[in-house]
Amino acid sequence: MGANRHMSVDSRGRYTPEVDGAAVSGSEGPAGSRTHNTIPARRGSLMQEPVLVLNATYEPINVTAVRRAMVLMLKGVAQAEEMHNAEVHSAAHAHKVPSVIRLLAYRHIPQQSRALSRKNILLRDRNTCQFCVRVFPSSELTLDHVVPRSRGGRSSWENLVACCYRCNNSKGDRTPEEAGLKLARRPRPFTLHTSRQLMRLIGHRDERWRKYLFY
Ligand SMILES: [Zn+2]
């Protein structure tokens, strides 16, 4: 069960497609089969622990799962910078598990590398309705076109915001000004700055992440 669960962190809104796409395409290359032999699949929870990914320059660029991080290490794409306290055990060996890894070759991160998706818009807006500024579970949020589609508003980072159903209904097919609503903040593309804030949120409990994230 849960054969693809190890990809949850990455595939959840394609955290950084360029890292996944370029470095780990297919993810089950020659090294992948080796991983399967050495790491028992039932070590599910530890293998899904978040691992901070640093660029070759030590710049934090991504969060992935332990399993993925270990594949990157086996492929010689990344090396461990910090280790977890926990280990995974195979028949013959205990394997130390990384908490922070660093790519060995510098990877250029495009300014706007995120896939435009509902999930990523909600992430960017921290599940906060951008009109009433209240936090909702994802299921109670929709995406609002700030400038309605009927007025030529596009589906873009700059024109889509998280919105609760109530605000969405009261706004209807109008602009915020016409509806007497005010945006909490101007919607922006998902930049590295945004993702760094998210990494801080995910990693604020892990001491080993701190020196890379808090400066
Ligand atoms: Zn609202």
Side-chain angles (χ1 to χ4, degrees):
M1 101 186 211
N4 289 320
R5 288 285 303 279
H6 66 284
M7 295 184 60
S8 61
V9 178
D10 311 274
S11 59
R12 189 171 291 163
R14 287 186 208 164
Y15 210 17
T16 51
E18 71 285 351
V19 169
D20 291 341
V24 228
S25 57
S27 95
E28 306 304 331
S33 44
R34 252 198 296 163
T35 333
H36 282 297
N37 291 339
T38 50
I39 299 158
R42 59 188 185 76
R43 291 274 167 186
S45 58
L46 178 59
M47 297 307 280
Q48 284 156 34
E49 283 286 300
V51 173
L52 182 65
V53 182
L54 307 174
N55 212 336
T57 52
Y58 289 91
E59 181 187 26
I61 51 170
N62 192 13
V63 176
T64 190
V66 163
R67 183 189 297 271
R68 186 79 139 193
M70 292 181 84
V71 170
L72 288 173
M73 287 163 62
L74 281 169
K75 286 186 170 180
V77 172
Q79 71 178 30
E81 291 292 330
E82 306 284 336
M83 302 307 283
H84 244 286
N85 298 325
E87 294 177 334
V88 281
H89 298 271
S90 63
H93 305 280
H95 300 267
K96 287 249 177 199
V97 164
S99 166
V100 178
I101 61 168
R102 184 169 66 93
L103 300 179
L104 296 178
Y106 179 76
R107 197 171 299 278
H108 175 70
I109 308 295
Q111 220 19 50
Q112 200 171 324
S113 57
R114 300 304 174 105
L116 181 68
S117 67
R118 171 187 152 82
K119 210 162 240 175
N120 279 343
I121 299 272
L122 297 189
L123 261 178
R124 181 198 62 187
D125 293 344
R126 305 271 183 85
N127 274 46
T128 307
C129 171
Q130 293 300 292
F131 295 109
C132 67
V133 203
R134 275 186 290 184
V135 178
F136 292 90
S138 301
S139 59
E140 292 174 31
L141 285 165
T142 183
L143 296 186
D144 180 67
H145 284 78
V146 179
V147 176
R149 266 182 295 193
S150 59
R151 312 281 190 84
R154 294 199 296 177
S155 297
S156 63
W157 284 107
E158 293 84 355
N159 196 47
L160 283 169
V161 293
C163 182
C164 74
Y165 285 103
R166 197 163 145 262
C167 290
N168 193 242
N169 274 333
S170 70
K171 181 169 176 283
D173 220 15
R174 299 177 291 177
T175 65
E177 296 76 39
E178 291 168 349
L181 294 166
K182 205 166 164 288
L183 273 176
R185 52 176 193 165
R186 199 162 70 83
R188 293 167 193 275
F190 210 141
T191 62
L192 200 56
H193 175 72
T194 322
S195 42
R196 202 162 290 148
Q197 287 181 320
L198 286 168
M199 287 184 227
R200 287 187 175 126
L201 277 182
I202 300 171
H204 77 283
R205 287 164 308 170
D206 194 332
E207 287 291 321
R208 287 159 300 222
W209 288 27
R210 279 176 180 269
K211 64 182 165 195
Y212 304 100
L213 291 174
F214 297 87
Y215 40 76

